Amino acid sequence: MEIKDLLYMLKEKYPLELQEEWDNSGLQFGNINRKLENVMISLDLEIGAIEKAIENNCNLIITHHPYLFNATKRIDLRETYYRKLELCLKNDIALFSMHTNLDIAECGVNDNLCKILDIKDTNVLDSSGLGRVGRVDDISAFEFSKKVKEILEANGVIIYGDREKILKVVSVCGGSGASLFDKAIEKNSDAILTADVKYHEAMDAIEKGLIVIDPGHFASENHIIYKLQEEIERMCDIKTYTFSKTDNFREFI
């Protein structure tokens, strides 16, 4: 099997055509005609992920967040950012990213978030395909937030609004989803779980009766690497590894 064969299967399940216009999902660099050895999956392209890939003979790294987003006019390998590129290329490692296409696609980030948090009877939240909304067994916002913290292994969760409010309908959007607050309200959501929420966005949502639960960007999405590991190991007989830092880079004191 060549690298391109696995990428073909992944693109069939999570089509790149679903990605937002501003996104850069897909091949970041590398030769996809190489024989596929092993696979490393990480939320971001981290030095630790590359080192673990080298250690385990992985010649393909798959990330959620693209390494290359904006056009560049020069690549200076003295810069820390490009050390990752140099390390991958020197070790013949290709990089493939699935970002908003993985958010939008069925069985992607948001469907998996609903599954692991036991949010049932889900539907797409927005016409773009982003977000999900579903039903939970009656639970207070505080108890649901504690559940979120435990399952997502978040270092901390911020609750905006009445922590004693009983939740019945919950919307989710892994990553930055404040733009979907009005959609969540239209769908009669009691709360929305998303990340990177600004103060004024949260205050506006509270005034409209929406509880906002923010576990952080990392925790809201990192769970997908384990889902992808399962998917890839079902697709082919290739050893698949994951790399994950913990949520301790975002300290609550």
Side-chain angles (χ1 to χ4, degrees), residues 33-215:
N33 290 329
R34 304 282 192 199
K35 178 184 175 183
L36 180 61
E37 302 298 340
N38 299 322
V39 180
M40 175 64 62
I41 308 172
S42 178
L43 191 68
D44 302 281
L45 184 63
E46 305 270 2
I47 289 291
I50 302 169
E51 291 173 342
K52 187 175 178 181
I54 295 168
E55 178 186 340
N56 290 284
N57 194 34
C58 301
N59 65 344
L60 173 63
I61 296 177
I62 296 172
T63 64
H64 180 45
H65 296 134
Y67 171 68
L68 301 173
F69 249 125
N70 302 310
T72 184
K73 293 185 177 180
R74 66 181 178 85
I75 296 175
D76 187 341
L77 297 179
R78 293 172 300 177
E79 296 179 10
T80 301
Y81 184 79
Y82 291 116
R83 283 184 52 232
K84 301 173 187 178
L85 173 63
E86 180 183 29
L87 191 56
C88 285
L89 294 182
K90 281 185 174 180
N91 289 277
D92 202 17
I93 297 172
L95 176 65
F96 183 78
S97 300
M98 296 187 291
H99 190 210
T100 52
N101 63 310
L102 188 59
D103 293 326
I104 291 169
E106 184 178 352
C107 298
V109 171
N110 289 304
D111 282 328
N112 195 60
L113 191 52
C114 288
K115 179 180 178 182
I116 62 179
L117 293 175
D118 199 26
I119 300 173
K120 311 175 184 110
D121 303 328
T122 58
N123 291 291
V124 173
L125 180 59
D126 184 62
S127 59
S128 67
L130 288 171
R132 299 292 186 269
V133 57
R135 181 178 53 80
V136 295
D137 295 333
D138 290 7
I139 185 172
S140 72
F142 179 70
E143 289 300 321
F144 183 74
S145 297
K146 284 171 59 179
K147 178 179 179 179
V148 167
K149 180 180 178 181
E150 178 182 356
I151 291 175
L152 300 186
E153 299 181 354
N155 196 36
V157 173
I158 301 171
I159 310 172
Y160 297 95
D162 181 5
R163 55 189 270 166
E164 300 304 323
K165 181 176 179 178
I166 300 301
L167 309 183
K168 298 177 184 290
V169 178
V170 174
S171 291
V172 304
C173 182
S176 305
S179 63
L180 299 179
F181 283 0
D182 286 341
K183 290 291 182 181
I185 293 166
E186 286 176 18
K187 300 285 187 178
N188 298 314
S189 303
D190 299 303
I192 185 169
L193 184 158
T194 193
D196 302 337
V197 179
K198 296 179 181 178
Y199 171 81
H200 291 293
E201 294 170 334
M203 294 303 102
D204 288 345
I206 290 171
E207 288 183 0
K208 296 175 182 177
L210 184 68
I211 303 294
V212 179
I213 299 168
D214 185 344

